[in-house]
């Protein structure tokens, strides 16, 4: 399933970092193709991945 978060990735990561009790698979990383992503566990220990859209990656300088 794919959902689009309407804010920029940095804003999302910043807001997520203020929440208590988040168990991370890993903090924000940049893949070799330039897309940044962060992974964490939900309450049932499923992995949630949030990443930049490729259109936003292409617009970065």
């Amino acid at each position: 399933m794919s959902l689009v978060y309407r804010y920029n990735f940095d804003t999302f990561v910043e807001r997520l970092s203020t929440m208590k009790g988040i168990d991370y698979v890993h903090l924000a990383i940049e893949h070799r193709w330039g897309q940044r992503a962060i992974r964490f566990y939900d309450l049932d220990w499923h992995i949630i991945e949030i990443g930049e859209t490729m259109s936003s990656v292409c617009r970065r300088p």
Side-chain angles (χ1 to χ4, degrees), residues 31-59:
H31 294 288
R32 66 179 183 271
W33 55 88
Q35 183 183 34
R36 295 180 295 165
I38 189 168
R39 293 185 181 117
F40 54 94
Y41 296 99
D42 71 6
L43 297 175
D44 293 322
W45 287 96
H46 298 107
I47 295 174
I48 305 294
E49 178 182 76
I50 305 295
E52 294 178 293
T53 63
M54 288 309 295
S55 60
S56 67
V57 172
C58 293
R59 283 193 300 263

Side-chain angles (χ1 to χ4, degrees), residues 2-59:
S2 178
L3 301 173
V4 177
Y5 190 75
R6 300 280 179 199
Y7 298 95
N8 96 13
F9 183 76
D10 294 320
T11 302
F12 177 82
V13 170
E14 186 178 311
R15 290 185 68 190
L16 189 65
S17 71
T18 65
M19 298 178 183
K20 297 189 185 301
I22 302 292
D23 292 308
Y24 294 94
V25 175
H26 61 74
L27 297 174
I29 61 168
E30 185 171 323
H31 294 288
R32 66 179 183 271
W33 55 88
Q35 183 183 34
R36 295 180 295 165
I38 189 168
R39 293 185 181 117
F40 54 94
Y41 296 99
D42 71 6
L43 297 175
D44 293 322
W45 287 96
H46 298 107
I47 295 174
I48 305 294
E49 178 182 76
I50 305 295
E52 294 178 293
T53 63
M54 288 309 295
S55 60
S56 67
V57 172
C58 293
R59 283 193 300 263

